[in-house]
Amino acid sequence: MKTEIVPLRTFRDNYIWAVHNGRHAAVIDPGDAAPVLEFLRAGDLRLCAVLCTHHHSDHVGGCAQLGFEYNVPIIGPAAERIAALTTRVRGGDSVTVPELALRFDVLD
């Protein structure tokens, strides 16, 4: 399956990034859960991971709700105060999202 990256508009000036293969999706920096939930339902996609780059609320505000509704890993920087994280990573670590056959190297 082909992997696609889709920007999901949120707030007035921000985006949540969704990566999907037609069956599964991971999202990056979900400041709000609503656009993610709408995207997942519209595409009949299963959320498999949430990736966070930093602690600003416009990037993590939807993490707790997504984690609650989908029980997926919420991965982000160990040094940041992000309460919803289930996995904390540091520079040099790697993150895999097997459902999407993706591997990310963590830069700190």
Side-chain angles (χ1 to χ4, degrees), residues 48-68:
C48 60
V50 175
L51 308 172
C52 304
T53 61
H54 64 284
H55 73 275
H56 293 162
S57 62
D58 64 331
H59 287 247
V60 300
C63 288
Q65 182 178 352
L66 293 171
F68 176 77

Side-chain angles (χ1 to χ4, degrees), residues 13-36:
D13 60 350
N14 213 339
Y15 290 93
I16 299 164
W17 296 95
V19 181
H20 77 92
N21 63 6
R23 293 183 60 201
H24 293 95
V27 292
I28 302 159
D29 289 341
D32 183 7
V36 175

Side-chain angles (χ1 to χ4, degrees), residues 1-2 15-16 20-21 33 36 43 46 53 55 57 69 72 74 79 82-83 85 91 94 98-99 101-102:
M1 273 184 220
K2 180 181 168 187
Y15 290 93
I16 299 164
H20 77 92
N21 63 6
V36 175
R46 170 103 172 102
T53 61
H55 73 275
S57 62
E69 291 199 29
V72 297
I74 302 173
I82 306 170
L85 293 183
S94 64
E99 297 88 346
L102 294 176

